[in-house]
């Protein structure tokens, strides 16, 4: 009996210990849970803002803004092609936000220079190298020789030269441009190869829109054996009859245009040529996109006609991206410029806007673009010397001859004298 009581007592003690163990384990398990749950949630509530706050702060550092200006006409093929390129750039260059401003061509240089002089302006702008030499000498565009070193191996040397002044690089070349002879194949089967043929074509009643202006008709001087400058950049236009003969020839064409009521500049000629009421027009390849959109396979292009002394030598310009010396983001701007002048971008600008690419990796399959390249072989590379301004300031007033009847030789002599004062 005693033994049984002892066993019963032992079992009760063991049971009591088990129950104590079970009861004691429940409480500590729940208590930490109650304590730890807030501890787990509190950091989550605290850390969430900590994660978001840096994201909001770091975004500008990760996405760099690059601002650039262009002067492509509103609604033009150039502007539409550029928009397509920029749409893809937003995908390919997520690290950059590209801010674009369209500025009318007649205003872009003055606006840029004014803004830069005040310490502002865009990171970069694209334009012809019309005034590159002056802008470089006046410190209005940045020397990017070191910044772009080793990065222009895919660009035509001629185009790189067009972005350079005194051995220093001031821009990334985008395309080559010059004045050529555009024609409607339904109206002219074979374009005039000589100045005599062009004159006979117009005298015979075929409507041609000649762009009379000191830039557009520059190529005709060499065709008649004339030159504006000698090797030292002195103005020598009156040293032989070549420049006078060219102006006299252009006056003959002008009088035909005036009598027939045909357009006498590229702006006036755009609608008549694209609508098929004018058979040909002299203009640069920046207008090719608009011409082709209207004429399609009927559009043809040829060099300006050669003259009695040789080929016409239109002034060959280079469009490129120039960099603002005030910009604190020139490296980002360079990345964007290299993208916009890369193979894929240049194919779009070539095929849709008629640009002749400066990037030699672009495969030229378009017969029109190839014809332009052929026509440019005789181009006169725009010199980046201060003396070029003597031409613009003294040889652009051709209305004295065309409208007022001043003899071409007299006009050239006066312009030469004034240029050398």
């Amino acid at each position: 009996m005693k033994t049984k009581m002892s066993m019963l007592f032992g079992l009760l003690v063991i049971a009591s210990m088990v129950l104590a163990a079970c009861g004691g384990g429940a409480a500590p398990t729940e208590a930490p849970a109650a304590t730890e749950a807030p501890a787990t949630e509190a950091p989550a509530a605290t850390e969430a803002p900590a994660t978001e706050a840096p994201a909001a702060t770091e975004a500008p550092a990760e996405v760099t803004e690059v601002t650039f200006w262009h002067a492509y006409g509103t609604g033009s093929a150039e502007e539409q092609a550029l928009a397509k390129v920029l749409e893809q750039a937003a995908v390919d260059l997520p690290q950059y936000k590209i801010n674009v401003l369209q500025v009318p061509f007649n205003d872009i240089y003055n606006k840029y220079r004014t803004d830069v002089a005040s310490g502002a302006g865009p990171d970069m702008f694209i334009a012809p190298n019309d005034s590159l030499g002056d802008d470089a000498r006046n410190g209005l565009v940045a020397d990017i020789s070191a910044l772009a070193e080793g990065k222009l191996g895919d660009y035509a040397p001629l185009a790189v030269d067009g972005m350079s002044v005194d051995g220093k690089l001031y821009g990334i070349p985008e395309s080559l441009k010059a004045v050529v002879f555009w024609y409607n194949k339904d109206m002219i089967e074979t374009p005039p190869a000589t100045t005599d043929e062009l004159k006979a074509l117009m005298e015979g009643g075929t409507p041609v829109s000649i762009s009379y202006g000191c830039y557009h008709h520059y190529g005709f001087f060499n065709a008649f054996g004339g030159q504006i400058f000698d090797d030292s950049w002195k103005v020598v236009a009156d040293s032989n009859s070549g420049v006078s003969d060219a102006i006299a020839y252009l006056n003959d064409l002008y009088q035909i245009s005036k009598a027939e009521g045909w357009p006498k500049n590229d702006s006036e000629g755009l609608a008549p040529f694209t609508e098929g009421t004018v058979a040909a027009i002299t203009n640069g390849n920046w207008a090719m996109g608009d011409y082709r959109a209207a004429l399609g396979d009927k559009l043809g292009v040829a060099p300006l006609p050669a003259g009695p002394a040789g080929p016409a030598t239109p002034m060959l310009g280079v469009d490129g991206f120039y960099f603002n010396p005030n910009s604190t983001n020139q490296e980002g701007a360079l990345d964007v410029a290299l993208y916009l002048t890369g193979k894929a971008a240049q194919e779009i600008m070539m095929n849709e806007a008629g640009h002749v690419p400066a990037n030699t990796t672009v495969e030229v399959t378009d017969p029109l673009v190839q014809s332009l390249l052929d026509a440019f072989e005789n181009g006169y590379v725009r010199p980046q010397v201060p003396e070029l301004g003597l031409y613009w300031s003294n040889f652009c007033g051709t209305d004295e001859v065309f409208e007022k009847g001043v003899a071409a030789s007299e006009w050239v002599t006066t312009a030469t004298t004034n240029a050398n004062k």
Side-chain angles (χ1 to χ4, degrees):
M1 183 70 177
K2 184 176 179 180
T3 302
K4 291 180 179 180
M5 288 296 293
S6 297
M7 291 175 64
L8 180 59
F9 181 76
L11 290 170
L12 290 172
V13 171
I14 292 171
S16 175
M17 292 173 66
V18 171
L19 290 171
C22 292
T29 301
E30 292 174 3
T35 304
E36 290 172 8
T40 302
E41 293 173 3
T46 303
E47 290 172 7
T51 302
E52 292 172 1
T57 303
E58 293 172 7
E62 295 173 358
V63 179
T64 303
E65 294 195 20
V66 173
T67 300
F68 92 90
W69 296 351
H70 71 86
Y72 300 146
T74 301
S76 68
E78 285 186 301
E79 186 186 48
Q80 293 176 30
L82 176 62
K84 187 173 181 179
V85 171
L86 292 172
E87 184 179 356
Q88 186 61 41
V91 177
D92 296 339
L93 300 177
Q95 69 272 38
Y96 296 112
K97 179 184 178 184
I98 306 174
N99 302 316
V100 184
L101 177 67
Q102 188 266 358
V103 181
F105 183 77
N106 290 337
D107 299 330
I108 192 167
Y109 290 106
N110 286 337
K111 178 173 174 55
Y112 174 80
R113 291 164 183 160
T114 300
D115 283 16
V116 170
S118 67
D123 292 306
M124 64 182 184
F125 77 109
I126 184 171
N129 61 344
D130 293 10
S131 305
L132 173 57
D134 290 340
D135 288 340
R137 285 183 286 272
N138 290 321
L140 295 171
V141 290
D143 175 1
I144 60 167
S145 303
L147 188 66
E149 186 176 2
K151 297 182 179 180
L152 298 184
D154 290 337
Y155 297 76
L158 179 67
V160 176
D161 288 346
M163 293 286 99
S164 304
V165 179
D166 297 332
K168 296 179 180 179
L169 183 69
Y170 289 92
I172 303 299
E174 189 268 343
S175 60
L176 305 173
K177 295 184 175 181
V179 175
V180 289
F181 187 86
W182 301 95
Y183 65 100
N184 186 326
K185 295 179 182 178
D186 283 356
M187 303 175 73
I188 297 177
E189 184 175 351
T190 302
T194 67
T195 50
D196 285 344
E197 289 178 10
L198 174 58
K199 185 177 179 181
L201 185 72
M202 295 175 66
E203 287 176 332
T206 299
V208 176
S209 177
I210 299 295
S211 299
Y212 301 96
C214 53
Y215 172 78
H216 282 79
H217 64 226
Y218 189 95
F220 285 103
F221 296 142
N222 187 76
F224 285 85
Q227 62 182 109
I228 301 297
F229 301 100
D230 66 11
D231 292 340
S232 63
W233 298 108
K234 179 183 178 182
V235 176
V236 293
D238 64 347
S239 62
N240 61 45
S241 63
V243 175
S244 297
D245 289 346
I247 293 296
Y249 170 79
L250 289 165
N251 183 50
D252 290 343
L253 300 189
Y254 186 94
Q255 300 310 320
I256 297 171
S257 298
K258 184 177 179 180
E260 297 288 351
W262 296 338
K264 296 186 290 296
N265 61 59
D266 55 335
S267 297
E268 291 178 359
L270 174 61
F273 181 60
T274 55
E275 292 168 1
T277 57
V278 163
I281 186 171
T282 56
N283 200 11
N285 53 299
W286 52 82
M288 179 174 135
D290 297 317
Y291 295 166
R292 180 159 55 184
L295 298 177
D297 292 340
K298 296 186 293 184
L299 180 64
V301 65
L304 291 178
T313 55
M315 193 171 287
L316 181 65
V318 181
D319 275 21
F321 289 91
Y322 309 98
F323 298 78
N324 186 343
N326 299 325
S327 173
T328 58
N329 186 30
Q330 290 183 5
E331 289 187 4
L334 178 68
D335 284 347
V336 173
L338 290 173
Y339 176 89
L340 297 178
T341 57
K343 180 179 180 181
Q346 286 297 278
E347 285 178 350
I348 293 174
M349 297 303 294
M350 175 181 68
N351 293 328
E352 300 187 18
H355 283 204
V356 175
N359 191 316
T360 59
T361 65
V362 178
E363 182 181 1
V364 178
T365 58
D366 187 334
L368 285 175
V369 175
Q370 186 57 57
S371 294
L372 288 169
L373 284 169
D374 295 341
F376 291 174
E377 288 183 359
N378 291 317
Y380 172 70
V381 180
R382 179 192 292 270
Q384 298 301 328
V385 295
E387 291 84 357
L388 185 60
L390 296 174
Y391 172 70
W392 305 123
S393 59
N394 292 285
F395 289 86
C396 289
T398 48
D399 275 355
E400 290 290 312
V401 177
F402 299 161
E403 291 289 346
K404 297 181 180 180
V406 175
S409 58
E410 178 184 344
W411 181 82
V412 171
T413 298
T414 300
T416 303
T417 300
N418 290 337
N420 289 320
K421 284 182 178 178

